[in-house]
């Protein structure tokens, strides 16, 4: 791979990060083969269609597939650059132990087609040391290739870690324009990966070592989690004291050095709700603040269930609409969603009194089966439900005028309707914030 020669790229994992990444690389005129274990995903992409919801992704994928720059397969193929973007969930031990088995499985597949000069880049959010562990696994499988950090000679393979920093709904824009931290097993590896990313990233690319890059990704999300936890704790304190947390935060943020975030029903998504545990797992005795932040944000979901349940119980027979299931506004991603958790709990308690409004869902998730809850549109909810529980701040909810919801009791966990008021717990005129 020299000069302007375009590398053949293999992207492993075609989910919320892998598919947009593959499409952007293909747009930069690098031929890409995308690998996924799902035949349905592969067939969908090869038709020029997409299986996830993301702004402008459908047109981009259609274009690069039609040009022959992106193809999908269930079988690994030789390439010059391998980008691994597979899930890193928790193990099923109940202890939030990171499960890197998908990463190691992908590395095993890559090892079978490696040749001298190839570059492997891990993008999956991972515990510190995962890139080195991946290198060690490949070294055992391919003793014919000299691995970086394990030889005094020039290595045959380059390995690096480069996490994404993206916001759902703006993934294509942020994959292109956000800065990237590129951590190599060695400085030589980092430079090799840097040359690749500069083909399609306009943001600043900073090189470092792999372990620092791994930790940087975790720290970024733990920082956000802890700050959201402060806002969520304030909201629970405000509920206890009969205060409007939105008013308190608005006034406090007038201080030039205060920037309190907005509370919600908890924290969701595959990043902020998960990544702090990777730090806790690696240094449990040194991370009490990060652990507490996680506990506060998890507790907030249960607090919302309790408050919502009380409101429904105080108004027997009144139909209830839970607005939103996604983990954040204007996306179809329900992973680790506090809104989904709250709505499912309400549905299990109150059955067919409960209606669910989620414009990004064609059907309700499995946990709603047997509850009697029904998926409806927002107009049905406004016309038929006397209790509205706002769980996600989708734009379609934000724009509902006061006159269309003035007759309903409102529990607004997102603060999108500042004029709303309810009387859930003997505090007349108080707008329950969260």
């Amino acid at each position: 791979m020299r000069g302007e020669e375009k590398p053949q790229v293999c992207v492993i994992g075609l989910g919320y990060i892998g598919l947009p990444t593959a499409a952007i690389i293909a747009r930069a005129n690098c031929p890409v083969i995308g690998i996924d274990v799902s035949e349905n995903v592969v067939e969908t992409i090869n038709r020029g269609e997409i299986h996830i919801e993301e702004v402008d992704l459908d047109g981009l994928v259609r274009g690069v597939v039609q040009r022959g720059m992106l193809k999908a397969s269930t079988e690994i193929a030789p390439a010059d650059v391998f980008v691994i973007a597979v899930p890193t969930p928790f193990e099923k031990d109940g202890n939030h132990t990171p499960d890197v088995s998908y990463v190691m499985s992908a590395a095993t597949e890559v090892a079978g087609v490696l040749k001298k000069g190839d570059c492997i880049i891990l993008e999956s959010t991972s515990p510190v040391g995962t890139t080195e562990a991946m290198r060690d696994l490949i070294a055992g499988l391919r003793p014919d290739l000299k691995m970086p950090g394990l030889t005094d000679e020039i290595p045959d393979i380059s390995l690096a870690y480069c996490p994404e920093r993206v916001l759902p709904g703006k993934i294509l824009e942020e994959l292109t324009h956000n800065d990237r931290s590129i951590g190599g097993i060695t400085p030589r590896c980092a430079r090799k990966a840097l040359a690749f990313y500069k083909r399609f990233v306009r943001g600043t690319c900073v090189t470092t070592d792999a372990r620092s890059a791994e930790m940087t990704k975790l720290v970024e999300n733990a920082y956000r989690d802890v700050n959201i936890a402060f806002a969520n704790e304030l909201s629970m304190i405000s509920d206890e004291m009969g205060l409007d947390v939105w008013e308190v935060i608005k006034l406090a943020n007038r201080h030039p050095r205060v920037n309190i975030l907005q509370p919600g029903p908890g924290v969701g998504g595959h990043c902020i709700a998960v990544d702090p545990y990777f730090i806790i797992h690696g240094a449990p005795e040194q991370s009490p603040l990060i652990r507490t932040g996680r506990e506060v944000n998890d507790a907030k979901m249960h607090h919302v269930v309790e408050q919502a349940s009380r409101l429904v119980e105080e108004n027997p027979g009144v139909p209830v609409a839970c607005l939103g299931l996604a983990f954040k506004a204007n996306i179809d991603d329900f992973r680790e969603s506090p809104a989904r958790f709250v709505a499912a709990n309400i549905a299990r308690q109150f059955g067919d009194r409960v209606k669910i409004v989620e414009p990004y869902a064609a059907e309700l998730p499995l946990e709603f089966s047997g509850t009697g809850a029904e998926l409806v549109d927002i107009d049905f909810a406004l016309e038929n439900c006397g209790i509205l529980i706002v769980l996600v701040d989708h734009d379609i909810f934000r724009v509902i005028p006061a006159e269309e919801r003035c007759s309903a009791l409102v529990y607004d966990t997102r603060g999108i309707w500042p004029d709303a008021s309810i009387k859930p717990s003997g505090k007349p005129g108080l707008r329950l914030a969260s």
Side-chain angles (χ1 to χ4, degrees):
M1 194 168 60
R2 297 179 180 179
E4 291 302 310
E5 182 182 347
K6 303 293 185 182
Q8 173 71 52
V9 181
C10 180
V11 176
I12 304 168
L14 296 174
Y16 284 92
I17 300 301
L19 179 56
T21 298
I24 284 177
I25 296 170
R27 184 175 65 185
N29 293 319
C30 296
V32 179
I33 183 165
I35 309 299
D36 201 275
V37 295
S38 169
E39 291 186 3
N40 180 61
V41 167
V42 167
E43 292 171 359
T44 299
I45 294 169
N46 283 335
R47 291 196 303 267
E49 300 172 2
I50 59 175
H51 61 288
I52 57 177
E53 189 77 26
E54 180 56 39
V55 175
D56 296 330
L57 181 61
D58 53 350
L60 176 58
V61 168
R62 187 184 313 113
V64 293
V65 169
Q66 289 177 348
R67 288 169 48 210
M69 299 305 296
L70 173 62
K71 298 178 182 178
S73 175
T74 57
E75 300 292 333
I76 195 74
D80 303 309
V81 178
F82 296 88
V83 178
I84 297 176
V86 296
T88 46
F90 295 134
E91 293 184 1
K92 294 180 172 59
D93 59 3
N95 296 319
H96 298 106
T97 304
D99 178 4
V100 297
S101 62
Y102 295 96
V103 171
M104 295 307 166
S105 177
T108 299
E109 292 293 314
V110 170
V113 296
L114 274 180
K115 64 183 182 299
K116 185 175 180 179
D118 286 352
C119 179
I120 306 169
I121 301 168
L122 176 61
E123 286 203 357
S124 306
T125 302
S126 303
V128 174
T130 302
T131 308
E132 293 174 344
M134 187 175 69
R135 183 269 318 271
D136 294 344
L137 172 68
I138 295 172
L141 295 171
R142 294 295 303 271
D144 55 309
L145 296 172
K146 296 187 286 290
M147 293 291 153
L150 300 180
T151 178
D152 293 331
E153 303 177 59
I154 296 175
D156 294 325
I157 301 297
S158 296
L159 288 104
Y161 180 77
C162 183
E164 43 72 28
R165 290 172 171 143
V166 296
L167 186 68
K170 295 184 177 180
I171 290 180
L172 296 181
E173 176 186 345
E174 297 204 344
L175 281 176
T176 303
H177 295 284
N178 285 0
D179 295 350
R180 303 292 288 255
S181 298
I182 302 173
I185 293 287
T186 65
R188 186 187 185 98
C189 292
R191 291 193 297 272
K192 185 76 172 288
L194 171 66
F196 170 66
Y197 278 99
K198 290 305 292 181
R199 292 180 178 275
F200 59 93
V201 173
R202 296 180 184 175
T204 301
C205 294
V206 181
T207 58
T208 182
D209 61 276
R211 293 174 67 89
S212 293
E214 290 165 339
M215 186 61 169
T216 296
K217 172 64 174 178
L218 304 180
V219 165
E220 289 167 357
N221 285 326
Y223 171 85
R224 296 171 67 198
D225 194 46
V226 169
N227 279 272
I228 295 170
F230 180 71
N232 278 335
E233 188 165 281
L234 280 182
S235 73
M236 290 186 282
I237 293 169
S238 296
D239 286 348
E240 179 65 23
M241 293 184 173
L243 298 169
D244 183 342
V245 71
W246 312 104
E247 178 73 3
V248 172
I249 290 175
K250 180 178 70 174
L251 294 173
N253 281 347
R254 295 183 71 86
H255 188 293
R257 288 171 294 282
V258 173
N259 184 25
I260 302 170
L261 302 181
Q262 297 298 299
V267 172
H270 186 63
C271 293
I272 301 178
V274 175
D275 298 355
Y277 283 117
F278 289 15
I279 298 177
I280 295 167
H281 178 77
E285 298 300 320
Q286 291 75 33
S287 52
L289 177 62
I290 296 173
R291 183 188 300 276
T292 300
R294 275 282 73 236
E295 291 170 351
V296 168
N297 285 329
D298 284 345
K300 183 61 186 295
M301 296 189 296
H302 297 278
H303 174 81
V304 171
V305 170
E306 291 172 5
Q307 297 280 31
S309 298
R310 183 182 302 122
L311 175 61
V312 178
E313 289 168 354
E314 290 174 352
N315 296 274
V318 177
V320 181
C322 293
L323 307 188
L325 295 177
F327 83 82
K328 67 182 297 293
N330 306 319
I331 64 170
D332 71 339
D333 192 343
F334 304 157
R335 291 177 296 176
E336 309 294 330
S337 171
R340 179 176 175 174
F341 174 86
V342 172
N345 273 272
I346 299 302
R348 283 193 289 269
Q349 290 183 68
F350 302 103
D352 59 8
R353 285 179 63 188
V354 179
K355 310 303 177 186
I356 309 296
V357 183
E358 177 47 75
Y360 293 90
E363 59 185 10
L364 291 176
L366 288 176
E367 62 265 35
F368 289 87
S369 298
T371 65
E374 181 185 1
L375 183 66
V376 302
D377 63 28
I378 187 60
D379 293 325
F380 181 95
L382 292 171
E383 293 167 5
N384 296 279
C385 297
I387 297 174
L388 304 176
I389 302 173
V390 182
L391 299 173
V392 184
D393 49 337
H394 289 314
D395 287 345
I396 195 173
F397 303 152
R398 283 185 176 275
V399 300
I400 297 170
E403 56 266 24
E404 285 199 76
R405 47 183 168 78
C406 61
S407 62
L409 296 172
V410 174
Y411 178 10
D412 183 0
T413 72
R414 294 288 184 174
I416 64 173
W417 297 336
D419 51 63
S421 68
I422 63 172
K423 305 177 183 65
S425 53
K427 298 170 182 174
L430 174 67
R431 179 168 63 91
L432 187 61
S434 55

